[in-house]
Amino acid sequence: MSGDARVPTGVASIDRLLGGGLETDGVTELYGEGGSGKTLLCLEVAARVAREGAWVLYIDTEGVSLERLTSIGGLPPETVLPRFLLSAPKSLEEQTRAVATACALARGGSRPVGLLVVDSLTYFYRLSLAEPEEDDARLALSLEVADLVAVSRSVGIPVLLTNQVWRNLRTGGLEALGGSFLNHAAKSILRLERLPGARRRVVLEKHRSRPEGSAEFRITSTGLVDGGPD
Ligand code: GTP
Ligand code: MG
């Protein structure tokens, strides 16, 4: 895919914000508090990519809902699941191996890969914080991210990473985990916020070619839908 190519998320308000969809030559980071819709957005894009016939490499540290995945778009599981290569690491070491395997599969080219997801990139890293292994974990994570950036650029596929948040007690605000290297490595950064009920806001914090802005979407039983312009 060319540098200007986009992979639509399928959520019209988010696609408008992104100028058509996810970039195919760089990493997109989603961050936000629990329940803000990070996993649902990953599943929405993944189901769409698989439906269109490309493979999805999905690294899931939190127990993704396959039932939820197959309810998106109302398609029978057999049209979506065969294109999924799912990995469920149980430690940062296993995550590192899963990322290496996914990058090798994407580079190998034996299957047409259309999307690589890591949800959540920082779950195991978070567990290491304030522990003796924190520095090793940060290094492992930064090497993973560097490989993911490289594979996105060289193969031309979107890489979607989710990131957890912590509350900065000095400012009272929620900040992305994972340190500044992740914020530099990600070419696009979207912050998701909870609104009342099923409504959610998505804020475009960083993009190479789009202005900052925000949009809304809603969570429904069959997936995410446009919430209209902000
Ligand atoms: P963490 O992984 O915990 O950080 O959260 P997340 O940002 O990944 O949130 P996720 O994508 O799992 O969003 C779950 C949200 O969707 C929760 O608030 C659920 O209550 C909501 N949800 C799940 N299914 C439905 C549904 O069918 N209808 C509605 N309205 N909400 C739903
Ligand atoms: Mg999640």
Side-chain angles (χ1 to χ4, degrees):
M1 293 188 206
S2 80
D4 291 336
R6 297 279 199 277
V7 169
T9 65
V11 188
S13 54
I14 300 179
D15 288 336
R16 277 194 298 274
L17 197 62
L18 293 173
L22 303 175
E23 290 186 299
T24 58
D25 61 343
V27 164
T28 298
E29 174 190 348
L30 303 178
Y31 81 96
E33 62 185 312
S36 58
K38 302 181 294 295
T39 295
L40 293 182
L41 182 52
C42 291
L43 291 173
E44 186 81 27
V45 189
R48 188 183 168 88
V49 166
R51 272 202 309 269
E52 306 233 314
W55 285 77
V56 175
L57 307 178
Y58 204 107
I59 299 172
D60 163 43
T61 63
E62 297 177 346
V64 74
S65 165
L66 289 180
E67 194 184 324
R68 179 85 207 174
L69 170 70
T70 54
S71 74
I72 290 172
L75 287 176
E78 57 273 19
T79 62
V80 176
L81 287 181
R83 300 246 174 253
F84 258 71
L85 283 178
L86 181 67
S87 170
K90 298 285 181 281
S91 65
L92 186 56
E93 292 73 27
E94 287 187 17
Q95 177 179 315
T96 299
R97 284 198 291 278
V99 167
T101 302
C103 290
L105 281 170
R107 288 190 175 102
S110 59
R111 297 176 178 89
V113 174
L115 177 70
L116 200 165
V117 176
V118 187
D119 177 28
S120 145
L121 181 77
T122 49
Y123 177 77
F124 297 115
Y125 169 71
R126 174 174 222 156
L127 300 179
S128 79
L129 294 178
E131 299 292 334
E133 63 271 21
E134 178 177 341
D135 287 349
D136 289 346
R138 187 178 300 108
L139 177 61
L141 199 63
S142 61
L143 293 173
E144 283 177 31
V145 170
D147 206 14
L148 290 164
V149 168
V151 90
S152 177
R153 283 191 191 147
S154 64
V155 183
I157 51 166
V159 170
L160 194 50
L161 306 178
T162 72
N163 191 6
Q164 296 176 300
V165 290
W166 61 286
R167 189 167 294 282
N168 183 330
L169 295 178
R170 194 170 47 78
T171 63
L174 291 174
E175 297 188 5
L177 269 182
S180 58
F181 74 87
L182 182 53
N183 291 343
H184 288 300
K187 289 297 168 230
S188 309
I189 301 181
L190 293 167
R191 184 177 79 240
L192 301 189
E193 296 174 354
R194 299 181 72 131
L195 295 173
R199 290 169 55 220
R200 299 291 184 272
R201 177 180 292 123
V202 50
V203 180
L204 182 61
E205 287 198 343
K206 174 183 170 185
H207 199 281
R208 280 181 288 193
S209 59
R210 303 289 301 167
E212 290 170 15
S214 67
E216 282 189 25
F217 64 91
R218 279 181 297 112
I219 299 169
T220 75
S221 56
T222 52
L224 306 182
V225 297
D226 193 357
D230 228 16

